[in-house]
Amino acid sequence: MIPASFDYVRPSTVDEAVQALASAGEDAKVLAGGQSLLPVLRMRLAAPTTLVDLGRVAELRGVREEGDTLVIGAMTTHYDVQRDALVASHAALLKEATDTVADPQIRHRGTLGGAIAHADPAGDLLAPVLALDASLVVAGPSGRRTVPAADFFRDLFTTALAPDELLVEVRVPKHTGWRAHYEKFNRVAQAWSMVAVAVTVRTEAGVIEEARVALTNMGSTPVRASGVEAALVGVQASADSIAAAASHAAEGTNPPVDSNADVEYRRHLARVLTGRAIAAAAGA
């Protein structure tokens, strides 16, 4: 199908992009990698009056360090996140999850910020961002503000972004030396997650000192598995302790029901995948 007509704006700075959004009003859309938006436009499930293309905004690309924080530009592609040495060293969980996103063609075009702002609960990068306690920097007409990942995801495809704001940076506290694993279950290769689990742990002499666990597609937003985290801290990374911790994975979740699975099956998957992910991350 052919999209409905719209005005096309291609700014070269963040300020120009914000101005374009403010001028266009609530019916504007931001184009990042376009891997989610373009199919929606073609099917006319969205009909924006203005499309603001961020492809020329160079300041939104790249990875850098700021003290104990890793700063990733919103327009950094999945491909670049996968191969960045800073991400591998200080945010291994993000690399692990990005490796599972779709296929090489999508990873070359899709962007980290685009995936986060799209806020699909089945998307593979929301749970890792939540587990890593990342903060999202948002730019709008009143300037910039920082939103913790825990407050950024509001509901299905809904974020804390106002219509005249755009995501500019993802700030991740360094998890240097932490081990990580992203365990994903899908029916066919390259498909969306039915359920997935993002785990990163810090161990000393086989004992889990700190743990971060978040779930994909177990609610309308990514879910932090606090019960699992609490059960892991201070225990030896053994099969029994991991199984006991994983039993808490589905607590407080509200999984969707669709043609792939019902609520109880997804909760079962969450417990099984959490156990596998913890074991892989902890080297148990």
Side-chain angles (χ1 to χ4, degrees), residues 64-145:
R64 70 181 190 276
E65 296 176 276
E66 284 188 6
D68 293 333
T69 301
L70 205 61
V71 183
I72 308 173
M75 285 292 289
T76 305
T77 65
H78 304 317
Y79 177 87
D80 288 337
V81 168
Q82 281 183 287
R83 284 155 180 77
D84 190 89
L86 291 174
V87 173
S89 295
H90 306 300
L93 178 58
L94 188 57
K95 180 194 181 305
E96 286 272 330
T98 304
D99 286 344
T100 75
V101 172
D103 54 39
Q105 183 176 1
I106 296 296
R107 293 195 291 269
H108 273 80
R109 292 291 303 171
T111 65
L112 175 60
I116 293 171
H118 185 54
D120 186 338
D124 291 302
L125 301 181
L126 279 61
V129 165
L130 180 62
L132 289 167
D133 291 317
S135 296
L136 295 313
V137 179
V138 172
S142 300
R144 298 194 178 195
R145 61 190 181 98

Side-chain angles (χ1 to χ4, degrees), residues 70 103 191 216 223 237 261 268:
L70 205 61
D103 54 39
T216 296
V223 179
H268 167 73

Side-chain angles (χ1 to χ4, degrees), residues 15 103 113 122 178 211 271:
D15 289 344
D103 54 39
W178 290 53
R271 291 186 286 267

Side-chain angles (χ1 to χ4, degrees), residues 4-223:
S5 62
F6 52 80
D7 293 330
Y8 178 76
V9 181
R10 200 174 190 192
S12 57
T13 68
V14 169
D15 289 344
E16 289 177 1
V18 169
Q19 184 177 20
L21 284 174
S23 299
E26 293 188 1
D27 291 329
K29 287 286 186 183
V30 173
L31 176 65
Q35 304 309 294
S36 299
L37 179 60
L38 292 181
V40 171
L41 294 180
R42 286 198 297 269
M43 291 185 288
R44 297 204 177 193
L45 296 176
T49 57
T50 303
L51 200 62
V52 180
D53 184 350
L54 301 181
R56 286 183 177 172
V57 186
E59 63 189 287
L60 293 180
R61 298 184 184 276
V63 182
R64 70 181 190 276
E65 296 176 276
E66 284 188 6
D68 293 333
T69 301
L70 205 61
V71 183
I72 308 173
M75 285 292 289
T76 305
T77 65
H78 304 317
Y79 177 87
D80 288 337
V81 168
Q82 281 183 287
R83 284 155 180 77
D84 190 89
L86 291 174
V87 173
S89 295
H90 306 300
L93 178 58
L94 188 57
K95 180 194 181 305
E96 286 272 330
T98 304
D99 286 344
T100 75
V101 172
D103 54 39
Q105 183 176 1
I106 296 296
R107 293 195 291 269
H108 273 80
R109 292 291 303 171
T111 65
L112 175 60
I116 293 171
H118 185 54
D120 186 338
D124 291 302
L125 301 181
L126 279 61
V129 165
L130 180 62
L132 289 167
D133 291 317
S135 296
L136 295 313
V137 179
V138 172
S142 300
R144 298 194 178 195
R145 61 190 181 98
T146 301
V147 184
D151 299 326
F152 186 80
F153 304 109
R154 298 287 178 83
D155 205 343
L156 188 73
F157 298 107
T158 305
T159 71
L161 284 167
D164 56 0
E165 292 181 320
L166 58 91
L167 178 61
V168 294
E169 290 178 353
V170 181
R171 301 180 67 88
V172 182
K174 287 182 177 178
H175 286 68
T176 313
W178 290 53
R179 299 181 63 175
H181 186 74
Y182 187 72
E183 187 76 16
K184 175 177 177 177
F185 184 86
N186 47 10
R187 294 181 64 183
V188 295
Q190 303 169 4
W192 295 106
S193 300
M194 285 175 60
V195 176
V197 182
V199 172
T200 186
V201 297
R202 182 177 65 83
T203 63
E204 291 186 13
V207 175
I208 299 173
E209 299 293 335
E210 296 182 83
R212 306 286 185 269
V213 182
L215 307 175
T216 296
N217 212 19
M218 286 295 289
S220 61
T221 65
V223 179

